Amino acid sequence: QEINPNVIETILEIALELANEGREGKKVATAFIVGDKSDILRYTKQLIINPFTAYPDTAKNIMDPMLRETVKEFAQLDGVFIVDKDGVIVTTGAYIDIDTKDIELPKGLGTRHMCCAAITKATDSIAVTVSQSGGTVRVFKKGKIIIRLP
């Protein structure tokens, strides 16, 4: 099963809003990993109690406009969002625990970018990052940057 393109579009919209506006005047750095949750979760550890655990899937789809501000608020937390192929938010505040030694990225990109590239190489997933410095949004697939905005 492929990733719903509307999920990627929604995540890009949220990422660009965070990159341009930040949150309450502060720049925000975050990432979203989208794909098969069982594959992705093998490479993650939870840093905080998962705020999405107690809710049914129907109440935590990233495409739901009612969740947009909640997602942007949680984007301030350390760690990444894990989103399944249909847009259901599995967790936030997750740490990616993966080997990055074979990942080659431009100088100046940090751990979040390295780990996002590595997880897209190890799994059939897509990662979207928002850089705190400069607010650049990058999309990763198969271990490489495929889109850079702006």
Side-chain angles (χ1 to χ4, degrees):
Q1 181 189 359
E2 297 212 359
I3 296 171
N4 180 336
N6 295 327
V7 172
I8 299 298
E9 182 180 348
T10 301
I11 289 172
L12 283 172
E13 287 171 3
I14 293 168
L16 287 167
E17 287 172 16
L18 286 167
N20 293 325
E21 303 161 15
R23 197 74 181 147
E24 297 175 10
K26 291 186 232 155
K27 294 195 177 276
V28 173
T30 193
F32 301 84
I33 314 296
V34 188
D36 183 292
K37 66 182 175 187
S38 57
D39 283 348
I40 296 167
L41 290 173
R42 290 184 309 151
Y43 298 100
T44 65
K45 292 180 181 174
Q46 197 62 38
L47 292 173
I48 61 166
I49 293 171
N50 181 0
F52 292 99
T53 297
Y55 296 93
D57 288 357
T58 55
K60 55 186 182 181
N61 194 296
I62 201 155
M63 294 183 291
D64 181 348
M66 298 296 291
L67 268 185
R68 200 172 199 104
E69 290 304 311
T70 300
V71 169
K72 287 160 75 173
E73 195 66 28
F74 285 143
Q76 298 176 92
L77 298 171
D78 197 19
V80 301
F81 287 86
I82 307 297
V83 181
D84 79 9
K85 295 175 180 188
D86 297 315
V88 175
I89 302 169
V90 177
T91 190
T92 190
Y95 170 77
I96 302 170
D97 187 14
I98 194 164
D99 187 354
T100 61
K101 76 176 187 294
D102 294 331
I103 299 299
E104 293 181 26
L105 294 178
K107 298 281 186 238
L109 295 181
T111 305
R112 176 180 284 114
H113 294 89
M114 292 293 282
C115 290
C116 285
I119 202 162
T120 67
K121 190 173 182 178
T123 66
D124 185 20
S125 62
I126 293 174
V128 177
T129 62
V130 179
S131 293
Q132 193 164 9
S133 59
T136 303
V137 173
R138 290 178 181 85
V139 180
F140 295 83
K141 186 165 175 69
K142 298 186 191 297
K144 306 270 186 221
I145 298 169
I146 60 166
I147 298 173
R148 183 181 181 275
L149 304 166

